[in-house]
Amino acid sequence: MTSIEADGDSQSSSILSAEEDRTLQKSPTELDLAIETNGLKKAFGDTQAVDGVNLRIPRGTVYGLLGPNGAGKTTTIRMLATLLRPDAGIATVLGHDIVQDAAEVRATVSLTGQYASVDEDLTGRENLVLVGRLLGFSWRDAKTRADELLTAFGLDDAATRQVRTYSGGMRRRLDIAASLVVTPEVLFLDEPTTGLDPRSRNQVWAIIRTIAAEGTTVLLTTQYLDEADRLADRLAVIDNGHVIAEGTSRELKAAVGASTLHIRLRDPERREEAGAILRDVLGVVVHNGTDRDALSASVPHDQEAAAVLTALADVGIRVAEFSLGQASLDEVFLALTGRPAEDTTEEMSA
Ligand SMILES: Nc1ncnc2c1ncn2[C@@H]1O[C@H](COP(=O)(O)OP(=O)(O)OP(=O)(O)O)[C@@H](O)[C@H]1O
Ligand SMILES: [Mg+2]
């Protein structure tokens, strides 16, 4: 039934129409930029929402803007989509200036906003047909395209139901489908999976991967570190309107330097005591895991991990599991911003 599988790597049908398929080509070099910004700024009254953002986003990639609430992610995307005019700085989308050539930019981009924009009273199919008509399709072409998208997004069964009866995940998929009636060269997705359950998130991730694999450059914002980690080819961490780090997820983790120690205790009752010992030995903040027996902390020098084990053994705290690994994106975020990301999912702390 659905052509997009939850695991993301087994799509069989194209989200692009055949004609569009031929016009999009994946770029061979990283230097071929889809989006470039320089000193982009935007204030709302006294709030400096975006404060000099510089981005270089290669064509054909999935690029993540990661940041906490109020960081300036939506404002940045809205400027790039020409919905807001910057106060200062310059930006180009596929070589078009977002202020001087706003019409050209609009012709190449599509935006799925942070909040759903589909009409609740219409059916899924009616919504997509309407978008097609607004874009100048004939009735026949609009219906054909709507049906292609409904199939690709696993919404065939719900096609003739009013959107108000849809689940959050179905609504989100329809919302993204609506922004793909004409395949854009650049797609902006503002928090595409916020509020979705893990299964729906996986489905949306699979859709995004398919779109990117077919040549569209995707710029997405997220507060979910695992989403950024698994979906984005490159990331910019944004805080208080500034880009504070940029690179692949691996590069960002490596830049933090420290490894992370994960410990499981045989006796969860002693977690608090163990946490105090870790703090003393390592001199860092210790995090409690989601499970009652789990603890983690960043380890500045690997040899200190051994000292932790000795100190725990000295007071008779027995360890069930002990591992030392690369920093997680959570820890990267903590190291960069001095505070944990607002929204982290269970699997991140596992
Ligand atoms: N239209 C507006 N009028 C006034 N202030 C605004 C407006 N839009 C955004 N802001 C402020 O600008 C700052 C950045 O907001 P923005 O929506 O870009 O953040 P965000 O990173 O998208 O956050 P979130 O994760 O909550 O969506 C915030 O302080 C916000 O309150
Ligand atoms: Mg936002």
Side-chain angles (χ1 to χ4, degrees), residues 100 104 148 154-155 178 216 337:
Q100 309 299 330
E104 285 85 347
E148 278 172 13
L155 291 169
T216 293
T337 65

Side-chain angles (χ1 to χ4, degrees), residues 147-160:
D147 289 336
E148 278 172 13
L149 288 165
L150 288 163
T151 303
F153 283 64
L155 291 169
D156 276 329
D157 292 349
T160 56

Side-chain angles (χ1 to χ4, degrees), residues 5 93 154 201 260 267 321 325 340:
E5 302 300 328
V93 176
R201 289 176 79 197
T260 301
D267 182 3
E321 274 179 35

Side-chain angles (χ1 to χ4, degrees), residues 44 47 49-50 67-76 114 190-191 223:
F44 298 105
T47 308
V50 173
N69 288 127
K73 304 180 297 293
T74 297
T75 307
T76 301
Q114 189 162 358
D190 198 358
E191 302 203 14
Q223 300 181 37

Side-chain angles (χ1 to χ4, degrees), residues 84-105:
L84 273 179
R85 202 189 161 99
D87 298 336
I90 53 167
T92 54
V93 176
L94 299 173
H96 306 298
D97 185 281
I98 58 167
V99 177
Q100 309 299 330
D101 317 320
E104 285 85 347
V105 173

